[in-house]
Amino acid sequence: MGGNRIFTGLNVILDGQPRPATVIVDAETGKITQVRDGTSARTDFPDTTDADWLDAADKYILPGIVDAHVHLNEPGRTDWEGFWTGTRAAASGGVTTVVDMPLNSIPPTTTVANLEEKRAAARGQCWTDVAFWGGVIPGNQAHLKPLIDAGVKGFKCFLIESGVDEFPCVNESDLRLAMDEIKDTSTVLCFHAELETTPAPAAPTEPAEPADPTLYSTFLASRPPSLEVAAIALITRLHAQHPALRLHVVHLSAAAALPLVRAAQAARLPLTVETCFHYLALAAGAVPRGRPEFKCCPPIRDEANRDALWAALADGTVDCVVSDHSPCVAALKRTEDGDVMRAWGGISTLGLGLGLLWTEARRRGFGIESIVEWLCVRTARHAGLAERKGRIAEGFDADLVVWDPDATFQVTKESLNFKNKLTPYEGLELTGKVLKTFVRGKMVYNAAEADGFKGLEPVGVLL
Ligand SMILES: [Zn+2]
């Protein structure tokens, strides 16, 4: 019989407000067997070893973050990111589960054989638990049900060019075939929601000056909110034909699309929406010239748009927040010439999300219980993991984070744990520091160690 691990503290986030509690974990299974009201004393558990006892005192104990949108890129583009570096970065930021996107690895996760290739590459390398999204591309509809049976948590598709050749976007007829195939399942179909409609004929004017490709505003003008609005209009129209199927919009940026989302939700369609740390923490006006680290698709928009996204989170239109960690190598990020137009679109965030969101949320009057709802509870539900992840409760995995809400830290290159140290957040001072991260009761990150990982092991499993 395995022993217990005990976590006690004055500020444990169960459901709602922080309160004194004691969490008892079966060391063997990594499951929470009991949650008691009130803190405990070391002497209450005489059979437990010192190594299996943690008193967080006035520091917080949060459920581990479920980051439902991450690109780990292995195998195939492992120089961009990999399971080892990506999940270490995640663990350092209090993330205990990542759900890997089907594209940017080679092969993409569009068949069961490809999924197995990915799993083989991941085994033994994961510091957090890892689940997988499958991909919908033109013509792979026969692979969708087998992928569900093989364990993918849902599917992602693109309505606009994805940026990599092996993951083409789908059109309406591809989507009809895919939706028909999965309509009687409990899976979720996720959309990169930007759609180009036929451009209006150009007015006969003087040829304009070529726009400066190092200006963020040039890029911003090339991906207007109307692309997101058009995509979400298509999604909600198709949804009405398959009203039982769960649909999800990934990384919503344009506040202009929120009325369409609200209308679909009011019509009781099971449509959920995520946004990202960067849309909530950054605004286009403050992006410096020649810094493609800030480029992502859809783009970061203006301050008013950012405020509207916060309001949509507050009223529940937007369900959850994810990283969309989507790195690449420096050459593709064009850090040399700062060409935002030609740079890879994708922001590296793993490890920083909680600090970014908390710093901004606190300023806007939100409490940690809202953050836990957005980053843990709802992302776990979205990824089909609500029975074991996202909450501190009996029967759940003991994915726990010891966190100091008041400690501040500066984002430095040296502090980043992901592979390519390129991020728009370098130099920022953030509030809310992860002290320790536990996956199923086992420590996977310890800020007290010089590198955060000394003496620890990659105990993550594939979900
Ligand atoms: Zn993505």
Side-chain angles (χ1 to χ4, degrees):
M1 188 197 108
N4 286 326
R5 293 211 163 98
I6 313 298
F7 298 81
T8 191
L10 290 163
N11 291 300
V12 183
I13 304 278
L14 303 173
D15 290 316
Q17 297 294 322
R19 55 187 160 106
T22 301
V23 181
I24 302 172
V25 177
D26 182 319
E28 197 111 315
T29 63
K31 294 276 183 194
I32 297 170
T33 54
Q34 205 188 350
V35 179
R36 291 186 193 167
D37 279 335
T39 55
S40 298
R42 182 74 187 84
T43 48
D44 296 339
F45 295 93
D47 295 341
T48 298
T49 65
D50 285 346
D52 288 331
W53 167 260
L54 186 142
D55 184 350
D58 63 341
K59 304 297 181 269
Y60 283 52
I61 300 181
L62 315 177
I65 294 167
V66 177
D67 191 338
H69 191 148
V70 168
H71 297 265
L72 292 175
N73 304 340
E74 184 172 5
R77 289 194 180 89
T78 310
D79 51 341
W80 294 16
E81 191 61 278
F83 289 100
W84 181 271
T85 45
T87 58
R88 271 166 84 101
S92 72
V95 175
T96 51
T97 301
V98 302
V99 193
D100 179 61
M101 276 292 162
L103 72 159
N104 300 351
S105 58
I106 306 172
T109 319
T110 48
T111 69
V112 172
N114 291 0
L115 172 66
E116 290 313 327
E117 228 178 289
K118 211 168 212 189
R119 282 184 168 150
R123 258 177 220 114
Q125 291 212 72
C126 298
W127 291 76
T128 65
D129 286 351
V130 176
F132 296 92
W133 297 113
V136 170
I137 57 172
N140 84 326
Q141 64 274 5
H143 293 279
L144 304 183
K145 273 195 172 144
L147 276 165
I148 295 171
D149 295 339
V152 300
K153 303 304 173 196
F155 297 95
K156 157 96 168 277
C157 68
F158 274 72
L159 298 179
I160 196 169
E161 189 194 332
S162 76
V164 293
D165 294 340
E166 68 279 0
F167 202 97
C169 60
V170 288
N171 62 25
E172 199 172 327
S173 62
D174 301 320
L175 276 173
R176 283 180 196 287
L177 292 171
M179 289 170 88
D180 228 41
E181 198 63 31
I182 59 175
K183 65 174 187 284
D184 299 322
T185 73
S186 61
T187 200
V188 59
L189 179 56
C190 306
F191 293 81
H192 179 120
E194 286 181 290
L195 177 66
E196 280 167 318
T197 45
T198 325
T205 53
E206 296 290 299
E209 282 282 297
D212 182 344
T214 68
L215 285 176
Y216 191 80
S217 56
T218 306
F219 167 62
L220 184 59
S222 74
R223 313 280 289 216
S226 57
L227 272 59
E228 291 187 67
V229 172
I232 293 174
L234 170 63
I235 292 163
T236 54
R237 185 160 54 77
L238 291 170
H239 209 176
Q241 293 159 21
H242 289 297
L245 186 58
R246 284 203 297 137
L247 301 185
H248 178 85
V249 173
V250 299
H251 53 51
L252 179 90
S253 170
L258 288 167
L260 283 170
V261 173
R262 291 194 175 106
Q265 291 171 341
R268 301 209 157 272
L269 291 172
L271 175 69
T272 52
V273 175
E274 71 187 30
T275 191
C276 301
F277 298 116
H278 38 263
Y279 303 127
L280 298 166
L282 302 171
V287 176
R289 182 185 197 134
R291 290 288 306 280
E293 294 93 327
F294 288 81
K295 179 180 181 181
C296 58
C297 299
I300 296 158
R301 305 188 191 278
D302 66 17
E303 194 66 53
N305 189 83
R306 174 160 78 139
D307 290 343
L309 289 178
W310 276 100
L313 258 179
D315 73 17
T317 310
V318 173
D319 296 84
C320 58
V321 185
V322 298
S323 70
D324 190 14
H325 176 75
S326 185
C328 69
V329 294
L332 286 173
K333 204 57 178 158
R334 309 281 300 209
T335 49
E336 287 281 308
D337 62 8
D339 187 332
V340 185
M341 292 305 285
R342 293 161 95 168
W344 172 259
I347 290 184
S348 295
T349 308
L350 276 179
L352 303 174
L354 178 57
L356 287 165
L357 197 62
W358 176 239
T359 303
E360 189 63 28
R362 190 144 94 158
R363 195 170 73 77
R364 291 172 183 263
F366 294 94
I368 185 61
E369 65 284 353
S370 298
I371 304 265
V372 165
E373 188 71 24
W374 301 332
L375 301 190
C376 310
V377 178
R378 294 198 196 148
T379 48
R381 192 186 301 153
H382 161 50
L385 296 165
E387 265 153 40
R388 60 184 289 196
K389 301 292 188 189
R391 292 175 58 207
I392 300 177
E394 284 174 25
F396 278 64
D397 288 353
D399 297 341
L400 303 170
V401 179
V402 182
W403 178 73
D404 184 342
D406 300 313
T408 58
F409 64 100
Q410 199 175 23
V411 181
T412 61
K413 251 192 179 40
E414 299 69 46
S415 68
L416 302 172
N417 288 293
F418 44 77
K419 187 170 278 182
N420 291 284
K421 319 289 185 196
L422 308 168
T423 179
Y425 305 117
E426 203 183 329
L428 280 189
E429 180 161 283
L430 302 180
T431 305
K433 193 169 160 40
V434 172
L435 303 178
K436 291 178 168 60
T437 306
F438 297 83
V439 172
R440 285 170 287 99
K442 298 190 184 84
M443 199 191 293
V444 293
Y445 174 75
N446 182 3
E449 291 289 348
D451 76 345
F453 301 95
K454 202 172 139 209
L456 305 177
E457 284 171 27
V459 299
V461 298
L462 309 183
L463 302 170

